[in-house]
Amino acid sequence: GNSVTQMEGPVTLSEEAFLTINCTYTATGYPSLFWYVQYPGEGLQLLLKATKADDKGSNKGFEATYRKETTSFHLEKGSVQVSDSAVYFCALTGGNNRLAFGKGNQVVVIP
Amino acid sequence: DGGITQSPKYLFRKEGQNVTLSCEQNLNHDAMYWYRQDPGQGLRLIYYSQIVNDFQKGDIAEGYSVSREKKESFPLTVTSAQKNPTAFYLCASSIGPSGSNEQFFGPGTRLTVL
């Protein structure tokens, strides 16, 4: 079945540091890939998406590229701010049109 | 403003009681979803509905029930058969079946069973 794996553990970094959150997936066919963000006490918001191989999704300074050869969709941001502190979820939809989520990564940005 | 509303934000119930969580959307979306979120577990799909008067079980449907009598409403009932109901519940909707369509999420309901 479809599944998403995110790197273990929270990510703590200083303001203006470079952020990378790894995401790899297992899926049949050609899934669409997503990054969602959850701020404290809220629901999830779509951050970016990519629907085919080599597509790059981008929003609010975040980027992720759909890499079919490595089955990855790593999230990056060049210079994080305190306001980027949140939980980030990688997700995919495959042939069954259901979203499969990774376990999420808590990101804490220290001033 | 279009969006998804969930009520209440916090809900407390005694063990053995059924409880119904509300989810309403005014986005004119056909598909709606219920997820459960536990610390360190990500989101798990409970039930989903792609059209009015139809719904399917997700990965963890046991102890839950839903109805979809109106396009804009998709209430979730947590029954006494659910062994560990304390969790954060999220409702979502999308224009159609997921595919490449974005799912829009409500603010969630935190259920605590005492």
Side-chain angles (χ1 to χ4, degrees), chain A residues 96-98, chain B residues 29-33 48-56 68 71 74 94-98:
Chain A
N96 61 8
N97 286 334
R98 287 168 44 168
Chain B
H29 285 173
D30 284 319
M32 296 187 74
Y33 313 82
Y48 63 107
S49 167
Q50 296 187 357
I51 199 166
V52 175
N53 293 321
D54 187 47
F55 49 83
Q56 289 80 40
R68 186 84 189 277
K71 187 175 185 177
F74 191 41
S94 64
I95 291 175
S98 290

Side-chain angles (χ1 to χ4, degrees), chain A residues 32 34 36 38 41-44 46 49 51 89 93 97-99 101-103, chain B residues 9 35 37 40 42 45 48 59 88 90 97-100 102-103 105-107:
Chain A
S32 294
F34 305 82
Y36 282 84
Q38 184 178 33
E42 297 183 9
L44 276 67
L46 179 69
K49 72 176 186 182
T51 58
F89 292 94
T93 55
N97 286 334
R98 287 168 44 168
L99 263 178
F101 286 90
K103 292 188 177 181
Chain B
K9 190 170 179 64
Y35 295 92
Q37 185 177 20
L45 182 64
Y48 63 107
D59 300 319
F88 189 50
L90 287 161
S98 290
S100 62
E102 172 185 357
Q103 286 191 16
F105 284 80

